Amino acid sequence: MASYLGLVDLADYEHLVDTLGSESAKYLRQDFFSRLQEWPRPDDKTRILKNQRFLVIFKGMDTPAALELATAKLARLFEEPCDLLGDPVAIPIHAGFTLLEDDTQTAIQEARAALRSAKRSSTLYQLYSPEQQGRLKDEVQLISNLEAAVELGELQLYYQPKVHARHNNLVGAEALVRWHTKNRKVLEPSHFIDAAERHQVIRPMTWWAIKSAVATMAQWSPELGISVNITPSLLMDDEVLTVVRDALDIFSVTPSRLTLEVTENIMADNQQVMLAQLAKLRKIGVRVSIDDFGTGYSSLAYFRDLPADELKIDKNFVVKMLGSPKDQSIAKTVIELAHNFSLKVVAEGVESKAVAVRLKEMGCDILQGHYYDQPLPLSEFDKRYKPNQQ
Ligand code: C2E
Ligand code: MG
Ligand code: MG
């Protein structure tokens, strides 16, 4: 008879020790184990493993519905925060499950893989699935190739022109990463950015992008700027401030020529920290742009205190604008909203002259899109736009 085997773990014990101190973390761990005592049924087997994970075998339980009940109980047991001397602190847990047929060691390995994937996806639990593990293996391979690519200089920034809507002159470019792989393929970010963001490699990649964009600007005429995309999670620590400050210092570039683009969903988590970090960047003199605007769910209230200089209307609204009155209304609303809060507006995804003209009539400040140009390798951008000699 098959039974589910599960492993339960505290989310990140080292982090708990760092943030709460070792005594409180220890107390929280005791609370974790004592709550787990109430989870199994009398005939189930449990054990605490050497690495402090809790192992359970739900004897005879082999249907997803029964597992769902068991995990619902697990969630209930950890609903209440732990009371640390009057301070309520949530107990962050994850679990991984698999079906135990006969080989316990294999089942433990599978549950461990499922637990890892629960941690990675920030979900309470995952059930082992061989296909998913296959995908994970592919991702591990991709990440290791990408790490090597950063080291070997296989990443390049391409530059897409940004044009002043009324004067029609070049105002700068957005830097967009491309990966020139060993087998001569050029990969666009959709093939690797999401995976990079799930792993640490996004960090060296982004620092490299900031430095090389600033180095490029040092070669360009002083009125031209460059925008670099930055993943919201990297704003959470102060390293970004050091990287930006150092790059601008080393290359003697005026801070206001660098724009950092962050997506609208920065506000989803840790709003206060994100706002504070954006404010610190602006204090250095760097510009902040809210990318893909209109696709998230920001409340109007957040505009009041938003430390930003620019909104970028998401290309999905811009591309179809002329055939879709609704998209056009959204673009118009974003432009008005931005101007009411003294922000500049960039439209990306401008693919035709007609759209460019309409956006200009609507008061949009800056235009970017295939109508003007694709993202270009630096040498090509230099040849076409002569940014060094404006
Ligand atoms: P994004 O920042 O919103 O960049 C705009 C995307 O729209 C780019 O895709 C650009 O090539 C594409 N685009 C430009 N004009 C047009 C147009 O007229 N029509 C259409 N349909 N598309 C247009 P790309 O280069 O594939 O980048 C995709 C996303 O990858 C970027 O979206 C950005 O979120 C991310 N990304 C790119 N480079 C970096 C990077 O260095 N770091 C990070 N963290 N993310 C990056
Ligand atoms: Mg962008
Ligand atoms: Mg965008």
Side-chain angles (χ1 to χ4, degrees):
M1 187 174 33
S3 306
Y4 278 116
L5 177 149
L7 286 175
V8 189
D9 198 8
L10 275 171
D12 186 352
Y13 190 68
E14 292 304 312
H15 182 67
L16 291 175
V17 172
D18 284 350
T19 49
L20 303 172
S22 59
E23 280 309 304
S24 298
K26 225 184 272 168
Y27 180 80
L28 193 123
R29 177 134 83 188
Q30 277 163 9
D31 192 357
F32 165 72
F33 286 125
S34 81
R35 292 183 196 209
L36 283 171
Q37 297 310 316
E38 295 175 36
W39 188 33
R41 304 157 308 173
D43 286 346
D44 297 334
K45 275 202 215 154
T46 67
R47 192 160 17 121
I48 295 174
L49 303 181
K50 272 206 213 82
N51 56 13
Q52 301 290 317
R53 286 179 179 163
F54 182 88
L55 178 137
V56 60
I57 298 175
F58 288 117
K59 208 162 168 224
M61 183 194 291
D62 61 357
T63 63
L67 180 64
E68 205 163 293
L69 286 177
T71 51
K73 180 167 177 195
L74 181 67
R76 265 200 316 281
L77 286 171
F78 285 89
E79 230 164 39
E80 289 284 312
C82 172
D83 182 12
L84 286 178
L85 300 171
D87 265 345
V89 175
I91 308 180
I93 60 158
H94 297 289
F97 296 92
T98 191
L99 259 189
L100 167 66
E101 309 274 2
D102 44 26
D103 177 3
T104 312
Q105 276 319 310
T106 307
I108 290 178
Q109 273 177 18
E110 292 174 356
R112 210 186 283 143
L115 174 63
R116 268 201 302 275
S117 109
K119 286 188 179 181
R120 210 174 285 126
S121 56
S122 300
T123 45
L124 173 63
Y125 76 96
Q126 289 280 327
L127 179 59
Y128 176 80
S129 95
E131 304 83 57
Q132 193 184 21
Q133 293 312 314
R135 281 205 301 279
L136 279 178
K137 270 204 196 116
D138 290 348
E139 180 160 315
V140 169
Q141 186 62 54
L142 174 72
I143 290 301
S144 113
N145 292 346
L146 190 53
E147 279 164 354
V150 178
E151 295 284 322
L152 296 170
E154 289 175 12
L155 298 185
Q156 273 189 35
L157 287 181
Y158 277 38
Y159 293 90
Q160 185 174 38
K162 288 167 88 171
V163 174
H164 194 282
R166 264 177 296 127
H167 305 147
N168 217 30
N169 61 317
L170 183 75
V171 294
E174 176 172 10
L176 295 155
V177 69
R178 297 290 182 268
W179 178 2
H180 287 244
T181 66
K182 279 189 279 302
N183 44 13
R184 293 167 175 279
K185 272 197 278 191
V186 181
L187 296 183
E188 300 204 335
S190 60
H191 297 277
F192 57 91
I193 284 282
D194 285 354
E197 285 180 351
R198 284 192 289 273
H199 297 80
Q200 282 302 310
V201 63
I202 192 68
R203 187 177 287 270
M205 251 185 73
T206 308
W207 299 166
W208 160 81
I210 291 173
K211 286 175 205 157
S212 58
V214 173
T216 299
M217 261 191 294
Q219 306 296 318
W220 287 5
S221 227
E223 70 278 7
L224 298 176
I226 294 183
S227 310
V228 177
N229 294 281
I230 175 159
T231 307
S233 63
L234 289 182
L235 288 180
M236 291 293 289
D237 70 71
D238 283 343
E239 201 179 345
V240 61
L241 300 169
T242 319
V243 172
V244 165
R245 225 185 267 123
D246 286 355
L248 294 167
D249 274 357
I250 290 167
F251 293 100
S252 301
V253 167
T254 313
S256 60
R257 294 176 64 194
L258 177 66
T259 299
L260 293 180
E261 296 193 359
V262 287
T263 45
E264 189 188 354
N265 60 23
I266 41 165
M267 296 304 153
D269 303 306
N270 301 304
Q271 247 198 55
Q272 289 313 315
V273 184
M274 291 295 185
L275 291 174
Q277 291 295 86
L278 294 182
K280 282 188 201 164
L281 282 164
R282 288 186 78 219
K283 213 161 170 205
I284 300 177
V286 168
R287 297 177 78 248
V288 170
S289 171
I290 308 296
D291 204 351
D292 301 342
F293 191 78
T295 56
Y297 300 94
S298 20
S299 79
L300 281 176
Y302 104 143
F303 266 92
R304 198 185 41 212
D305 310 310
L306 184 68
D309 303 270
E310 179 184 288
L311 292 186
K312 284 189 95 167
I313 314 174
D314 188 69
K315 61 174 174 290
N316 288 315
F317 303 118
V318 176
V319 170
K320 299 172 289 175
M321 212 177 83
L322 293 183
S324 158
K326 284 187 182 157
D327 286 332
Q328 195 167 154
S329 301
I330 290 174
K332 192 155 179 271
T333 307
V334 174
I335 293 168
E336 281 166 12
L337 182 69
H339 287 164
N340 283 338
F341 285 88
S342 309
L343 302 167
K344 289 265 179 276
V345 197
V346 181
E348 62 179 20
V350 179
E351 294 185 350
S352 66
K353 183 169 184 183
V355 168
V357 168
R358 186 73 199 99
L359 282 162
K360 186 175 135 183
E361 285 165 2
M362 289 178 352
C364 187
D365 302 290
I366 311 284
L367 307 176
Q368 176 187 345
H370 294 163
Y371 169 61
Y372 298 98
D373 232 326
Q374 310 273 333
L376 302 168
L378 181 58
S379 54
E380 191 57 36
F381 190 94
D382 281 347
K383 224 187 280 167
R384 278 193 212 176
Y385 294 93
K386 312 234 178 315
N388 313 331
Q389 319 162 5
Q390 288 225 334

